Amino acid sequence: MRRATAWFVVVGVVVLGSATPTRAAEADGFWVSVASGVAGSSDPSSYQEWWFETPHGPPPVSVARLSGPAAEATTAGGSTFFSGPAVPVNLHANDGYAYLASNKPGDLSAALRRQMAGGKGLATVAPDPFAVAPLANANQLTIDQSDPDPTGARKLDVSLTDPALNPLGGASVVVPENGWWVIGLGPNTNIVPDPEPEPEPIPVPLPVPTPTPVPVPSPSPGPVATPEPATALLAGIGGLGMFGLRLVKRRRGK
């Protein structure tokens, strides 16, 4: 029993020694978020996001297409309203984030949480609404808004490609009637936790079979002693002698 206990202690030490704390790897890249919500509320009713790595730094973004209602492009350098015929609009979101919005809510922290993470601020360069064509090194953004459905809601489709028009991601959200949408664009890290190491399996000892009890036989009675013939004869003679002696005593008493 003591050996089994010691064996379990050794196994436990090995398992604890092999576990390593989770580490997080940070990668530089670019976040694109698409949020929409009900008018008067800053909490998104729909939200999607994607991230891609930018090893050579965040490139500019050119709004190559905008269908539907007009939008507003904003950085720390200023903001500009534009409609579909006014594209492209170039944004330099390299030292901070930029965003595009329609009927934007009063608080943007929920819609731009990825871009604002870590205390990031707005990009310093103002949007350029007078560009003749998308920048040669810019990722191209397309924004398509559908016609209202019977409830007044619109579908908003957003996609981003690299300068060679290779897709970098996309998202779709539903914009409620008279609601708002916000597209966030900005560099930030993506914290990717290392996978947890799989714990080593603890061997389960085989159960020790319990022996089947064997019934102990009851002691058998010893053999019945049979008196020898001579012993029986002597006993008979002794008995007759005693009988005769008693008979003689009785007669004398008379």
Side-chain angles (χ1 to χ4, degrees):
M1 188 66 178
R2 292 181 179 177
R3 291 183 179 178
T5 303
W7 181 81
F8 277 113
V9 171
V10 171
V11 170
V13 171
V14 171
V15 171
L16 291 175
S18 62
T20 56
T22 302
R23 294 176 295 107
E26 292 187 0
D28 292 329
F30 199 89
W31 282 102
V32 181
S33 60
V34 184
S36 63
V38 179
S41 173
S42 296
D43 294 325
S45 57
S46 298
Y47 179 90
Q48 292 190 29
E49 63 182 25
W50 73 90
W51 179 92
F52 58 94
E53 196 168 0
T54 56
H56 304 295
V61 176
S62 291
V63 181
R65 184 173 70 241
L66 172 67
S67 65
E72 178 186 12
T74 302
T75 67
S79 63
T80 181
F81 287 90
F82 65 100
S83 59
V87 297
V89 173
N90 295 325
L91 299 166
H92 295 271
N94 53 352
D95 61 347
Y97 66 90
Y99 67 87
L100 302 157
S102 176
N103 298 332
K104 66 182 179 182
D107 183 6
L108 293 171
S109 58
L112 300 173
R113 57 178 178 263
R114 290 294 189 181
Q115 291 78 17
M116 291 183 178
K120 288 281 187 179
L122 286 165
T124 57
V125 179
D128 179 12
F130 304 109
V132 178
L135 297 173
N137 63 334
N139 293 332
Q140 297 192 30
L141 184 73
T142 60
I143 306 169
D144 295 309
Q145 304 174 75
S146 69
D147 294 330
D149 64 13
T151 67
R154 295 175 181 267
K155 182 182 178 185
L156 180 72
D157 295 316
V158 179
S159 63
L160 186 69
T161 65
D162 65 12
L165 302 184
N166 298 309
L168 295 173
S172 297
V173 296
V174 175
V175 183
E177 183 180 14
N178 299 322
W180 55 265
W181 59 259
V182 175
I183 301 172
L185 306 165
N188 219 325
T189 55
N190 183 27
I191 300 176
V192 182
D194 291 343
E196 290 279 354
E198 295 185 4
E200 296 182 5
I202 300 177
V204 179
L206 296 176
V208 179
T210 305
T212 305
V214 178
V216 179
S218 303
S220 58
V224 179
T226 304
E228 296 290 335
T231 305
L233 180 60
L234 291 175
I237 294 173
L240 290 175
M242 292 294 295
F243 177 74
L245 182 60
R246 290 179 181 176
L247 184 59
V248 172
K249 287 181 177 182
R250 288 180 182 176
R251 288 181 180 179
R252 287 181 181 180
K254 292 180 179 180

